[in-house]
Amino acid sequence: MSAATDDRQDDEPTYRWPIPPAEGWTADDLDRIPGLPPHTELIDGSLVFMSPQTAFHARCMRLLENSLLGQAPDHLDVMREMTVKLDAKNRPEPDILVFPLEANTGPDQTWYRPEDILLAVEVVSADSRERDREVKPRKYAAAGVPHFWRVEQDDDKGYPVVYVYELDPATKSYGLTGIFHDRLKVSVPFDIEIDLTAVDRRGR
């Protein structure tokens, strides 16, 4: 390594990790803390940083976003990787969201309200398994999000497996309504049919 390179590295400012207040961060803080990595979430007042994305995760999001956009009724919109302000201490970022068009407030919008979310989708990664299987579904259900999908990779074929949940409004908890391999077909929140084997079709 050259001396010039060493000098440039010495001149670079040292990154200072944000120090949380005694009561923890709030949902509004995510828009104000400088230098946060992309796709930082807030869970129970703590910042959660994302690991590098896998090809499976990226291809799943592309397949689901494109399929849902193509099949959603005209009054609904689909967005990927936008946060939901569940409460003062929780602002998770689902991989895919479905919501009514009127929930869009403009190009500078950074979050949605839970009461506007019709469907939240989480594609499970190695570092997010516990959050996606337990923590986030529990919080989405408590906030009244009516539909939730958890997507995992099939160990044999490498295709997505989609676990579909629907909210029981009496208990504010999710019930599993189906597990879909190869092809997903549901009638709520609207008629949806997705060929899950197409997840990496462009890569073949």
Side-chain angles (χ1 to χ4, degrees), residues 45-83:
S46 297
L47 300 175
V48 177
F49 305 121
M50 300 295 144
S51 295
Q53 185 170 229
T54 65
F56 172 79
H57 193 277
R59 290 181 183 279
C60 273
M61 287 198 297
R62 182 179 67 182
L63 173 67
L64 295 173
E65 181 184 27
N66 289 343
S67 299
L68 290 168
L69 271 171
Q71 298 176 43
D74 290 342
H75 69 281
L76 296 179
D77 199 359
V78 180
M79 190 77 74
R80 60 187 287 175
E81 299 173 305
M82 287 284 286
T83 58

Side-chain angles (χ1 to χ4, degrees), residues 3-14:
T5 302
D6 288 338
D7 291 341
R8 284 197 301 272
Q9 289 181 341
D10 290 341
D11 291 339
E12 291 178 359
T14 301

Side-chain angles (χ1 to χ4, degrees), residues 10-187:
D10 290 341
D11 291 339
E12 291 178 359
T14 301
Y15 180 75
R16 296 183 179 274
W17 293 100
I19 300 174
E23 65 278 8
W25 300 109
T26 69
D28 291 332
D29 288 332
L30 276 190
D31 293 325
R32 298 192 288 255
I33 302 172
L36 285 181
H39 310 299
T40 299
E41 299 181 292
L42 186 74
I43 304 293
D44 294 329
S46 297
L47 300 175
V48 177
F49 305 121
M50 300 295 144
S51 295
Q53 185 170 229
T54 65
F56 172 79
H57 193 277
R59 290 181 183 279
C60 273
M61 287 198 297
R62 182 179 67 182
L63 173 67
L64 295 173
E65 181 184 27
N66 289 343
S67 299
L68 290 168
L69 271 171
Q71 298 176 43
D74 290 342
H75 69 281
L76 296 179
D77 199 359
V78 180
M79 190 77 74
R80 60 187 287 175
E81 299 173 305
M82 287 284 286
T83 58
V84 180
K85 191 185 290 188
L86 298 180
D87 55 40
K89 295 293 185 180
N90 289 280
R91 193 169 150 187
E93 183 182 290
D95 288 310
I96 306 289
L97 290 172
V98 178
F99 50 87
L101 284 172
E102 56 265 26
N104 291 310
T105 61
D108 296 326
Q109 183 174 1
T110 59
W111 54 270
Y112 290 92
R113 304 182 307 167
E115 56 264 38
D116 291 325
I117 304 306
L118 189 61
L119 168 66
V121 182
E122 294 286 1
V123 181
V124 176
S125 300
D127 72 319
S128 70
R129 188 170 289 113
E130 182 178 354
R131 292 193 303 273
D132 292 342
R133 288 179 175 179
E134 300 177 19
V135 178
K136 288 187 178 182
R138 185 173 67 250
K139 292 181 179 297
Y140 295 149
V145 175
H147 300 277
F148 172 71
W149 295 357
R150 188 182 82 246
V151 184
E152 306 216 15
Q153 186 174 16
D154 179 87
D155 290 335
D156 295 327
K157 299 179 180 179
Y159 295 143
V161 178
V162 182
Y163 297 79
V164 172
Y165 296 85
E166 188 169 347
L167 183 68
D168 180 342
T171 63
K172 283 294 183 77
S173 62
Y174 287 127
L176 181 67
T177 61
I179 303 174
F180 295 87
H181 300 255
D182 296 341
R183 183 169 296 275
L184 180 149
K185 187 173 183 179
V186 295
S187 59

